[in-house]
Amino acid sequence: MTTNAFLADCRARLAFDLLANTWNAVVLWALRDGPLRPVELRERIGGISSKVLTETLRRLQFNGLVDRCALPGAPPRVEYRLTALGRSFLAPIDAVGAWAFEHGDEVMAAQERAGFRTAAANGDSTAHGRPAAAG
């Protein structure tokens, strides 16, 4: 196995793929304090549809980062909790979040500058520094 993170067969690529989906990190972070039912996750996260949450939970379960636990009683209920593997992924998520907090303004400024240059190059004087709309 190679250590070149940019090759498809590298294990580091697995982590990059997991971080590439915004909801993966958000759901894992939401579960850091303990198990939650899907409705509790949606309330804690905000802005995520039931469909996207279900897809994300299935993806995280497939990758061994969360467990789905059926709760006794009627009606049937489930909750999700981090596995040890999922818990180990919180530190890298926290590191990326800290980087974003420290450098987020710089990234947004660069995006604004690039958007303004792109719009100006296209003759759009109304963009006012916002990225030009995709056509």
Side-chain angles (χ1 to χ4, degrees), residues 6-95:
F6 298 104
L7 296 180
D9 65 346
C10 183
R11 289 186 178 149
R13 178 87 177 256
L14 294 171
F16 297 148
D17 287 344
L18 288 169
L19 285 172
N21 183 298
T22 301
W23 293 116
N24 287 349
V26 171
V27 169
L28 290 171
W29 196 255
L31 289 169
R32 75 189 180 283
D33 293 328
L36 292 172
R37 293 177 39 228
V39 67
E40 296 166 328
L41 271 169
R42 283 192 66 215
E43 289 170 1
R44 180 168 289 183
I45 294 169
I48 188 170
S49 69
S50 293
K51 178 182 181 235
V52 171
L53 178 59
T54 298
E55 291 169 351
T56 303
L57 288 166
R58 286 180 182 158
R59 183 172 47 253
L60 294 172
Q61 187 178 8
F62 173 80
N63 284 289
L65 301 174
V66 300
D67 278 333
R68 179 183 186 271
C69 304
L71 300 174
R77 297 177 304 149
V78 298
E79 68 181 15
Y80 292 87
R81 63 184 59 176
L82 293 175
T83 63
L85 184 62
R87 189 155 296 286
S88 74
F89 203 50
L90 292 177
I93 291 170
D94 189 39

